Amino acid sequence: MQITSIDDLQKAKGVGLAQLYPDKPKILVGMATCGLAAGAQKVYDFLSKKAQDAHWGGVVEKTGCIGFCYKEPLVDAILPGQPRVTYEQVTPEIAGALWEELAAGKIPEKQVMARIDVDDMILNGGPRKFYKGKLKGFLAKTPRYEDLDFFKLQRHIAMRNCGFIDPDNLLHYIARGGYFALYNALTAMTPDEVIAAVTTAGLRGRGGGGFPTGVKWASCRKAKGWPKYVLCNADEGDPGAYMDRSLIEGDPHSILEGMLIGAYAIGSSEGYIYVRAEYPLAVKTLQRAIFAAREAGLLGQNILGTGFSFDIKLNLGGGAFVCGESTALMASIEGKPGEPRAKYVHTVDKGLWDRPSNLNNVETWANVPVIIAKGADWYRDTGTEGSKGTKIFSLVGQVKNVGLVEVPMGVSIKDLVMEVGGGVPENREFKAIQIGGPSGGCIPKEHWGLPIDFDSLWDAGAIMGSGGMIVMDNSTCMVDVAKFFLDFLIDESCGKCIPCRLGLKRMREILEEFSAGKGSLEDLEELQSLSEAVKDGSLCALGGSAPNPVLTTLRYFRDEYEAHILQGKCPAAVCKDLITYSINPELCNGCTACVNECPQGAITGTKKEPHTLNASLCIKCGACFEVCKFGAVAVA
Amino acid sequence: MSVTFKALENILEHYPPSSEHLISALQDVQAKFNYLPPEAMTAVCDHLGVPLSRGWAVATFYKAFSLEPKGEHDVAVCLGTACHVRGAANVYEKFRRDLGIAGPEGTTRDLKFSLRQVRCLGCCSMAPVAQVDEEIHGNLSQRKAGHLLRMYRKR
């Protein structure tokens, strides 16, 4: 379907809405990577086949991830005139049971997680209620999404379409107000007005730095040189952060529309998306979205009949963390090794092929259409003084409700972990939260009242980064965590400048000593001063922020370092040189599980007799600890 | 798979002779042969008009490229932060022990498995995870890792 005018767009919206909410039953299966990893493909195949075989009058469709990764695979059922009902952890067997009832026109009760009464449709002029009148039976008792702890504090702006549309269906995106913001910008606003709106809205870069987006755009617009490039950074390399992947997989057109608006504001006709090759589904989804937009005329020449032209190319990353850095990313698009350069000349003046280039992150782009559609003031309503809007965090690690959460800026760490995340599992104790990936820091429990925004995290020694939040409990050793991040950064350092290349290695050696129970308090001082040197002396942000995990753990968990050095103890029982495994004969009932699992043959014993562990053979792999169901294996 | 002129031509015909396509072309070669054979590298660089040294610079810089043949099954164990705090290091050691790989990464002698570390597969909700070929396996323990290898050995 060609969309070359506002009439076409309106028509597409009508068709899209009829597909999105048809007058017949609909089943949605969450098929982003997290869903697929949990087995959603089988569920989808099963339900599709059933529907086909039965000549069912309804539709079975795939959708993106709504964020509740921990409950995947998620299946939603929408029967006409009824609320949308979500089912959790649906296996093919459970899908079978669900199908029987749905096919008979009933709403199943089994595995129900929540219901949605109203679809907000924030860009579509108002909410759409799913049903009229009062709910009866179990549905009345089923919690609404907004009643669940996990969703209570959330506000989906960037993720507005995730879990509601088929990401491969352009019409679904348009049905929820998509590409209308672009039309508005192109016909009713000058480029300067677009930039002013983004600036007033207070949007700051969601990829890590938090640089004001509008300011960047304005500099790029002013820069001399042609052509100008608009780039999207989808090289999401932070371990523990996957919101960009999820946005792409759930709502790719929001990114394309954001880039189109940005290109109009800056005066660019060519764009690139640099995406990680490790995200095969995201790559395919983007390919399909770009193709669909091109087919419809929303990318290419004379878009929506306004004379504005823009097209996007897709570039696959080669697997290098440093390529998330702007100058390294541009070098990589040029087909070179991704080494950053000093930025005394900014990329907005001389970036890709030495032309003015504007790079923003996936989540930043996804926010842009909302700002244009709803206005800067609407957007400013959410968030804190210096950080407006919402931010998507991936709440992972030692926390009950693992998933993607989009919350207003300014929510406290405590609320995020305890309310949204449901706290630490198995009654263990919250110890710290690691924010901002390898460039970020660990924030301890004493500071968990801290509101999460760009500036207060910076003050605490961490950074917002791309929004990975890894919850750590008392089974996590902070020296080990510092070592872990250094390992990562040594691996990913491009090797161009000395402080980062050699400094990190030396820091790693010192930590290695600590985790072996060696080293002295002077070494702690050396570690501290070396960290400062690497921070000040490195060329790019990777090196400049690399010591953050060390510096924050030193700042907040010095006692743990000292326990390693002075007492030769690892309080969390992680550092292998400092721990021993043993079997408590009183708790051991002689099940032989550990005997069979031990790769060393270090555990001996017969059935129903307490086993014994020969410490001289033990390699401390922890296999026995893992398989023991009776808590008889002790580690200290 | 042997490196044939035809196979390389099929890849190179998609790329106009310009240096910007180096990474993409090498990615295609890697996908086709599972590694970058030297003769393919020469062909790619010749076609795109870039010095061979630049080809090797790119190939050794990016993780996506391998200079040695890979095993039949690619076992990528996630050592991202979320997996790390849930015990991925021990799981990784288990894979290494069971596959008998001496270095941190490597390929088994029978070319059945290649083991490598990755930093975040973006499936943190199921940590620790590993990806074998295209399939993701989550909530791993050392015991499950053992099962997994046995399963793929039979395939």
Short mmCIF file of all heavy atoms in Angstrom, two decimals, chain A residues 61-89:
data_model
loop_
_atom_site.label_atom_id
_atom_site.label_comp_id
_atom_site.label_asym_id
_atom_site.label_seq_id
_atom_site.Cartn_x
_atom_site.Cartn_y
_atom_site.Cartn_z
N GLU A 61 -1.47 -14.00 16.22
CA GLU A 61 -0.47 -13.05 15.76
C GLU A 61 0.71 -13.01 16.70
O GLU A 61 0.58 -13.32 17.88
CB GLU A 61 -1.10 -11.65 15.72
CG GLU A 61 -1.07 -11.00 14.37
CD GLU A 61 -1.95 -9.76 14.37
OE1 GLU A 61 -1.96 -9.02 15.37
OE2 GLU A 61 -2.61 -9.53 13.37
N LYS A 62 1.86 -12.59 16.17
CA LYS A 62 3.00 -12.40 17.06
C LYS A 62 3.09 -10.94 17.47
O LYS A 62 2.59 -10.06 16.78
CB LYS A 62 4.27 -12.85 16.37
CG LYS A 62 4.57 -12.07 15.14
CD LYS A 62 5.90 -12.51 14.57
CE LYS A 62 6.15 -11.65 13.35
NZ LYS A 62 7.42 -11.65 12.78
N THR A 63 3.75 -10.70 18.59
CA THR A 63 3.96 -9.33 19.02
C THR A 63 5.30 -9.24 19.74
O THR A 63 5.97 -10.25 19.93
CB THR A 63 2.78 -8.86 19.92
OG1 THR A 63 2.93 -7.47 20.19
CG2 THR A 63 2.75 -9.63 21.23
N GLY A 64 5.68 -8.02 20.14
CA GLY A 64 6.96 -7.84 20.81
C GLY A 64 6.86 -8.14 22.30
O GLY A 64 5.92 -8.76 22.76
N CYS A 65 7.86 -7.67 23.04
CA CYS A 65 7.93 -7.98 24.47
C CYS A 65 7.39 -6.81 25.27
O CYS A 65 7.81 -5.68 25.10
CB CYS A 65 9.40 -8.23 24.83
SG CYS A 65 9.69 -8.37 26.59
N ILE A 66 6.49 -7.10 26.17
CA ILE A 66 5.89 -6.05 26.99
C ILE A 66 6.77 -5.75 28.19
O ILE A 66 6.54 -4.81 28.94
CB ILE A 66 4.45 -6.44 27.36
CG1 ILE A 66 3.60 -5.22 27.69
CG2 ILE A 66 4.44 -7.48 28.48
CD1 ILE A 66 2.12 -5.47 27.59
N GLY A 67 7.79 -6.55 28.41
CA GLY A 67 8.77 -6.26 29.45
C GLY A 67 8.88 -7.31 30.54
O GLY A 67 9.89 -7.40 31.22
N PHE A 68 7.81 -8.11 30.68
CA PHE A 68 7.80 -9.07 31.77
C PHE A 68 8.50 -10.36 31.34
O PHE A 68 7.90 -11.43 31.26
CB PHE A 68 6.35 -9.37 32.18
CG PHE A 68 6.20 -9.56 33.66
CD1 PHE A 68 5.05 -9.19 34.32
CD2 PHE A 68 7.23 -10.11 34.41
CE1 PHE A 68 4.91 -9.37 35.69
CE2 PHE A 68 7.11 -10.29 35.77
CZ PHE A 68 5.95 -9.91 36.41
N CYS A 69 9.82 -10.26 31.12
CA CYS A 69 10.58 -11.37 30.54
C CYS A 69 10.55 -12.61 31.42
O CYS A 69 10.64 -13.74 30.96
CB CYS A 69 12.02 -10.96 30.33
SG CYS A 69 12.18 -9.45 29.40
N TYR A 70 10.42 -12.38 32.68
CA TYR A 70 10.48 -13.46 33.65
C TYR A 70 9.29 -14.39 33.52
O TYR A 70 9.35 -15.57 33.88
CB TYR A 70 10.55 -12.77 35.02
CG TYR A 70 10.20 -13.59 36.22
CD1 TYR A 70 11.02 -14.62 36.65
CD2 TYR A 70 9.04 -13.32 36.92
CE1 TYR A 70 10.70 -15.35 37.76
CE2 TYR A 70 8.70 -14.05 38.04
CZ TYR A 70 9.53 -15.07 38.45
OH TYR A 70 9.21 -15.80 39.54
N LYS A 71 8.19 -13.87 32.97
CA LYS A 71 6.98 -14.69 32.84
C LYS A 71 6.80 -15.26 31.44
O LYS A 71 5.77 -15.82 31.13
CB LYS A 71 5.75 -13.85 33.20
CG LYS A 71 5.74 -13.33 34.62
CD LYS A 71 5.25 -14.38 35.57
CE LYS A 71 4.95 -13.78 36.93
NZ LYS A 71 4.66 -14.79 37.94
N GLU A 72 7.78 -15.06 30.58
CA GLU A 72 7.67 -15.57 29.21
C GLU A 72 7.61 -17.09 29.21
O GLU A 72 8.15 -17.71 30.12
CB GLU A 72 8.89 -15.12 28.38
CG GLU A 72 9.00 -13.63 28.19
CD GLU A 72 8.15 -13.10 27.05
OE1 GLU A 72 7.38 -13.89 26.46
OE2 GLU A 72 8.25 -11.91 26.78
N PRO A 73 7.02 -17.69 28.19
CA PRO A 73 6.30 -17.06 27.08
C PRO A 73 4.94 -16.52 27.53
O PRO A 73 4.22 -17.19 28.26
CB PRO A 73 6.10 -18.21 26.10
CG PRO A 73 6.95 -19.34 26.55
CD PRO A 73 7.16 -19.15 28.01
N LEU A 74 4.65 -15.31 27.05
CA LEU A 74 3.37 -14.68 27.36
C LEU A 74 2.43 -14.83 26.17
O LEU A 74 2.84 -14.66 25.03
CB LEU A 74 3.57 -13.19 27.64
CG LEU A 74 4.35 -12.79 28.90
CD1 LEU A 74 4.53 -11.29 28.95
CD2 LEU A 74 3.63 -13.27 30.16
N VAL A 75 1.18 -15.15 26.48
CA VAL A 75 0.15 -15.24 25.44
C VAL A 75 -1.01 -14.36 25.89
O VAL A 75 -1.37 -14.36 27.06
CB VAL A 75 -0.32 -16.70 25.24
CG1 VAL A 75 -1.53 -16.76 24.33
CG2 VAL A 75 0.81 -17.54 24.67
N ASP A 76 -1.54 -13.58 24.96
CA ASP A 76 -2.68 -12.72 25.27
C ASP A 76 -3.88 -13.16 24.44
O ASP A 76 -3.73 -13.55 23.30
CB ASP A 76 -2.36 -11.27 24.92
CG ASP A 76 -1.50 -10.62 25.98
OD1 ASP A 76 -0.30 -10.96 26.01
OD2 ASP A 76 -2.01 -9.83 26.77
N ALA A 77 -5.05 -13.05 25.06
CA ALA A 77 -6.27 -13.34 24.32
C ALA A 77 -7.17 -12.12 24.37
O ALA A 77 -7.35 -11.52 25.42
CB ALA A 77 -6.97 -14.54 24.92
N ILE A 78 -7.69 -11.74 23.21
CA ILE A 78 -8.66 -10.65 23.16
C ILE A 78 -9.92 -11.18 22.49
O ILE A 78 -9.92 -11.48 21.29
CB ILE A 78 -8.14 -9.45 22.35
CG1 ILE A 78 -6.72 -9.07 22.78
CG2 ILE A 78 -9.07 -8.26 22.51
CD1 ILE A 78 -6.06 -8.04 21.88
N LEU A 79 -10.99 -11.32 23.27
CA LEU A 79 -12.27 -11.68 22.67
C LEU A 79 -13.07 -10.39 22.55
O LEU A 79 -12.99 -9.52 23.42
CB LEU A 79 -13.02 -12.68 23.55
CG LEU A 79 -12.34 -14.04 23.78
CD1 LEU A 79 -13.26 -14.99 24.53
CD2 LEU A 79 -11.91 -14.67 22.47
N PRO A 80 -13.83 -10.22 21.45
CA PRO A 80 -14.56 -8.97 21.27
C PRO A 80 -15.42 -8.65 22.48
O PRO A 80 -16.10 -9.52 23.02
CB PRO A 80 -15.43 -9.26 20.04
CG PRO A 80 -14.71 -10.34 19.30
CD PRO A 80 -14.04 -11.17 20.35
N GLY A 81 -15.36 -7.39 22.92
CA GLY A 81 -16.16 -6.96 24.06
C GLY A 81 -15.66 -7.44 25.41
O GLY A 81 -16.37 -7.35 26.41
N GLN A 82 -14.46 -7.96 25.43
CA GLN A 82 -13.89 -8.46 26.69
C GLN A 82 -12.53 -7.81 26.92
O GLN A 82 -11.88 -7.39 25.97
CB GLN A 82 -13.71 -9.97 26.64
CG GLN A 82 -14.99 -10.77 26.51
CD GLN A 82 -15.79 -10.78 27.81
OE1 GLN A 82 -15.30 -10.39 28.86
NE2 GLN A 82 -17.05 -11.19 27.71
N PRO A 83 -12.08 -7.76 28.17
CA PRO A 83 -10.74 -7.21 28.38
C PRO A 83 -9.68 -8.11 27.75
O PRO A 83 -9.92 -9.30 27.52
CB PRO A 83 -10.60 -7.19 29.90
CG PRO A 83 -11.59 -8.15 30.42
CD PRO A 83 -12.72 -8.16 29.43
N ARG A 84 -8.52 -7.50 27.51
CA ARG A 84 -7.40 -8.30 27.01
C ARG A 84 -6.81 -9.05 28.20
O ARG A 84 -6.53 -8.45 29.24
CB ARG A 84 -6.38 -7.35 26.38
CG ARG A 84 -5.08 -8.02 26.03
CD ARG A 84 -4.15 -7.05 25.31
NE ARG A 84 -2.78 -7.55 25.43
CZ ARG A 84 -1.75 -7.09 24.75
NH1 ARG A 84 -1.92 -6.09 23.91
NH2 ARG A 84 -0.55 -7.59 24.91
N VAL A 85 -6.63 -10.36 28.05
CA VAL A 85 -6.17 -11.16 29.18
C VAL A 85 -4.81 -11.77 28.85
O VAL A 85 -4.60 -12.30 27.76
CB VAL A 85 -7.18 -12.29 29.51
CG1 VAL A 85 -6.75 -13.03 30.76
CG2 VAL A 85 -8.56 -11.70 29.70
N THR A 86 -3.88 -11.65 29.80
CA THR A 86 -2.52 -12.15 29.59
C THR A 86 -2.29 -13.43 30.37
O THR A 86 -2.61 -13.51 31.55
CB THR A 86 -1.50 -11.10 30.05
OG1 THR A 86 -1.75 -9.89 29.34
CG2 THR A 86 -0.08 -11.55 29.76
N TYR A 87 -1.72 -14.41 29.69
CA TYR A 87 -1.37 -15.69 30.32
C TYR A 87 0.14 -15.82 30.40
O TYR A 87 0.84 -15.46 29.46
CB TYR A 87 -1.98 -16.85 29.52
CG TYR A 87 -3.47 -16.74 29.48
CD1 TYR A 87 -4.10 -16.05 28.45
CD2 TYR A 87 -4.25 -17.27 30.49
CE1 TYR A 87 -5.47 -15.89 28.43
CE2 TYR A 87 -5.62 -17.13 30.48
CZ TYR A 87 -6.23 -16.43 29.45
OH TYR A 87 -7.59 -16.28 29.45
N GLU A 88 0.61 -16.33 31.54
CA GLU A 88 2.05 -16.38 31.76
C GLU A 88 2.60 -17.79 31.62
O GLU A 88 1.88 -18.76 31.80
CB GLU A 88 2.37 -15.84 33.16
CG GLU A 88 1.75 -16.72 34.25
CD GLU A 88 1.96 -16.17 35.64
OE1 GLU A 88 2.09 -14.95 35.79
OE2 GLU A 88 2.00 -16.97 36.59
N GLN A 89 3.88 -17.84 31.31
CA GLN A 89 4.63 -19.10 31.22
C GLN A 89 3.83 -20.18 30.51
O GLN A 89 3.57 -21.26 31.05
CB GLN A 89 5.06 -19.54 32.62
CG GLN A 89 6.09 -18.58 33.17
CD GLN A 89 6.46 -18.81 34.62
OE1 GLN A 89 5.62 -19.21 35.42
NE2 GLN A 89 7.69 -18.52 34.99
#
